[in-house]
Amino acid sequence: MEKINQPALYCPFPYKVNKYIDVLEDETFEWAKRFNILANASYYQRFLKARFCLLSSSAYPSSELEELKIATNWLIWTFFWDDQCDLSHLSERPELLKTHNTRLLQILNGAETESDDIPLAYALSDLRSRFLQNSNNQWFHRFVQTVEHTFNAVEKQLTSQKEGTIPSVETYIKLRRSTSYVYTLIEIIEFCEQITLPEEIHQHIMIQSLRRMANNILSWTNDIFSVYKEIKVGDIYNIVILTQHEQQISFQEAINYAVKLCNQEVQEFIDLTERLPDFGKEMNAEVERYISGMRSWIRGHLDWYSSTGHYQTAEMLTIPFTK
């Protein structure tokens, strides 16, 4: 039996919690029930264990209540849809997933729900209406494009999995940024904090680099904490597992490598924020709020995993690609 020690993940950002956390729980639960997302006891237990309100309240600590409720509902939506893509029959049928995703995108773009739509489609229609009531069209259009990009990437990954493809770590890292839904969560920083960045600043190479780094940090942290769950279900699409296979090293060495990579990315994120150009006094303040939102996600996400142990297990499982 291999005993695994996980090195500490580096995160010097302050931990903050939204003042509305105590009133968020009941409303979030009622929303999930209303759209039949908690259809059985298993889903209900997963909902309780996930502690979505803790995660969203630390990821968006300055948000007002209405925006925070919407952001939390989106987080729940992505969690349960991602689970269905990974753990249900959809994981074996990328073509069926594509059909579902096409329909979900139609709804996100304004199509009316129909009687044969899945419960998550009705929930998505509700989210669309509330996003539009509390944002501008430019932001929502970019958000929808990000969701579509994520759906396409998930379909691509499931097709590769079905074919038995083992990607290189480099290929996986690029794909992981797209499949993780993290970019949608970063988009919501602007929504929750009521930030309006001009498109030229949003597309600035250094801002885009910070978004990419934040995505990497969140995605790799997720991989590190969820690796035992993925071993259990036979999913090799994890930076730890693929690193072990590619470098032909022990599982402990692969964990060490992933943590080191993540810690280096945090430091590079910090270094880049100190080299940003002058966007003007007013816009500098908006950019700082946006970057602060990314810091809050990185800090809140790590503390959420540490406090919930959501994907962790004490079982010592059979490690794939063991050296």
Side-chain angles (χ1 to χ4, degrees), residues 114-160:
E114 299 174 356
S115 59
D116 58 347
D117 282 324
I118 61 175
L120 283 171
Y122 286 89
L124 187 63
S125 179
D126 173 75
L127 281 165
R128 178 185 188 274
S129 298
R130 293 159 65 208
F131 272 131
L132 284 170
Q133 288 170 10
N134 293 274
S135 67
N136 59 66
N137 289 334
Q138 181 181 8
W139 177 86
F140 186 72
H141 177 69
R142 188 169 66 241
F143 177 76
V144 172
Q145 286 184 317
T146 305
V147 174
E148 183 174 8
H149 180 72
T150 304
F151 282 178
N152 291 339
V154 172
E155 292 162 16
K156 180 179 178 181
Q157 177 173 308
L158 289 182
T159 299
S160 296

Side-chain angles (χ1 to χ4, degrees), residues 8-187:
L9 285 157
Y10 174 56
C11 188
F13 309 135
Y15 181 70
K16 305 174 186 176
V17 179
N18 194 288
K19 63 184 178 181
Y20 296 112
I21 185 172
D22 292 335
V23 301
L24 190 61
E25 193 79 44
D26 288 344
E27 295 196 36
T28 299
F29 177 67
E30 290 302 320
W31 182 84
K33 281 203 312 181
R34 177 154 58 97
F35 291 103
N36 202 31
I37 293 173
L38 310 180
N40 56 48
S42 174
Y43 278 20
Y44 176 69
Q45 289 303 317
R46 289 176 68 75
F47 176 87
L48 292 180
K49 186 178 179 182
R51 300 183 69 187
F52 294 109
C53 295
L54 175 63
L55 178 56
S56 63
S57 294
S58 56
Y60 306 111
S62 302
S63 175
E64 291 301 323
L65 180 58
E66 185 57 33
E67 286 80 6
L68 184 62
K69 288 192 294 185
I70 297 168
T72 307
N73 295 160
W74 173 254
L75 187 63
I76 293 167
W77 193 94
T78 62
F79 178 91
F80 281 99
W81 182 237
D82 192 48
D83 258 17
Q84 288 194 26
C85 295
D86 285 344
L87 303 178
S88 73
H89 64 288
L90 291 177
S91 64
E92 301 295 328
R93 300 180 61 187
E95 70 287 349
L96 179 59
L97 174 62
K98 184 175 182 61
T99 299
H100 279 295
N101 281 343
T102 298
R103 177 59 184 153
L104 292 171
L105 282 170
Q106 289 172 348
I107 290 170
L108 198 54
N109 278 298
E112 296 293 327
T113 52
E114 299 174 356
S115 59
D116 58 347
D117 282 324
I118 61 175
L120 283 171
Y122 286 89
L124 187 63
S125 179
D126 173 75
L127 281 165
R128 178 185 188 274
S129 298
R130 293 159 65 208
F131 272 131
L132 284 170
Q133 288 170 10
N134 293 274
S135 67
N136 59 66
N137 289 334
Q138 181 181 8
W139 177 86
F140 186 72
H141 177 69
R142 188 169 66 241
F143 177 76
V144 172
Q145 286 184 317
T146 305
V147 174
E148 183 174 8
H149 180 72
T150 304
F151 282 178
N152 291 339
V154 172
E155 292 162 16
K156 180 179 178 181
Q157 177 173 308
L158 289 182
T159 299
S160 296
Q161 286 177 282
K162 185 178 180 182
E163 294 169 351
T165 303
I166 301 176
S168 68
V169 172
E170 182 181 0
T171 297
Y172 169 73
I173 285 174
K174 292 178 182 177
L175 182 61
R176 183 74 170 101
R177 285 197 294 268
S178 299
T179 62
S180 64
Y181 286 91
V182 169
Y183 277 138
T184 70
L185 302 172
I186 292 175
E187 297 291 358

Side-chain angles (χ1 to χ4, degrees), residues 191-210:
F191 171 79
C192 278
E193 303 299 333
Q194 296 296 295
I195 299 168
T196 302
L197 293 180
E199 195 62 19
E200 62 269 22
I201 292 182
H202 196 276
Q203 295 300 324
H204 190 281
I205 186 170
M206 295 178 79
I207 300 299
Q208 288 297 308
S209 293
L210 289 171

Side-chain angles (χ1 to χ4, degrees), residues 125-297:
S125 179
D126 173 75
L127 281 165
R128 178 185 188 274
S129 298
R130 293 159 65 208
F131 272 131
L132 284 170
Q133 288 170 10
N134 293 274
S135 67
N136 59 66
N137 289 334
Q138 181 181 8
W139 177 86
F140 186 72
H141 177 69
R142 188 169 66 241
F143 177 76
V144 172
Q145 286 184 317
T146 305
V147 174
E148 183 174 8
H149 180 72
T150 304
F151 282 178
N152 291 339
V154 172
E155 292 162 16
K156 180 179 178 181
Q157 177 173 308
L158 289 182
T159 299
S160 296
Q161 286 177 282
K162 185 178 180 182
E163 294 169 351
T165 303
I166 301 176
S168 68
V169 172
E170 182 181 0
T171 297
Y172 169 73
I173 285 174
K174 292 178 182 177
L175 182 61
R176 183 74 170 101
R177 285 197 294 268
S178 299
T179 62
S180 64
Y181 286 91
V182 169
Y183 277 138
T184 70
L185 302 172
I186 292 175
E187 297 291 358
I188 290 175
I189 292 170
E190 293 173 77
F191 171 79
C192 278
E193 303 299 333
Q194 296 296 295
I195 299 168
T196 302
L197 293 180
E199 195 62 19
E200 62 269 22
I201 292 182
H202 196 276
Q203 295 300 324
H204 190 281
I205 186 170
M206 295 178 79
I207 300 299
Q208 288 297 308
S209 293
L210 289 171
R211 285 165 51 87
R212 184 177 65 253
M213 290 175 183
N215 191 328
N216 284 339
I217 295 161
L218 293 167
S219 297
W220 299 343
T221 300
N222 182 289
D223 278 11
I224 291 163
F225 276 98
S226 68
V227 64
Y228 291 109
K229 184 204 78 167
E230 281 150 9
I231 290 167
K232 189 173 185 178
V233 299
D235 183 1
I236 66 168
Y237 278 67
N238 179 291
I239 195 168
V240 177
I241 298 170
L242 291 171
T243 295
Q244 185 192 11
H245 170 63
E246 184 170 284
Q247 298 186 17
Q248 289 297 290
I249 55 180
S250 70
F251 187 70
Q252 179 67 70
E253 289 171 321
I255 286 278
N256 294 347
Y257 177 86
V259 170
K260 180 180 178 181
L261 198 67
C262 195
N263 290 346
Q264 288 174 339
E265 197 78 345
V266 171
Q267 187 57 58
E268 289 180 15
F269 179 94
I270 294 168
D271 293 344
L272 185 55
T273 62
E274 296 173 352
R275 302 197 307 271
L276 289 175
D278 184 357
F279 295 112
K281 183 177 180 180
E282 183 177 336
M283 199 49 58
N284 284 343
E286 291 295 278
V287 168
E288 174 54 31
R289 290 175 63 215
Y290 185 53
I291 295 170
S292 179
M294 290 189 240
R295 295 190 195 104
S296 292
W297 249 112

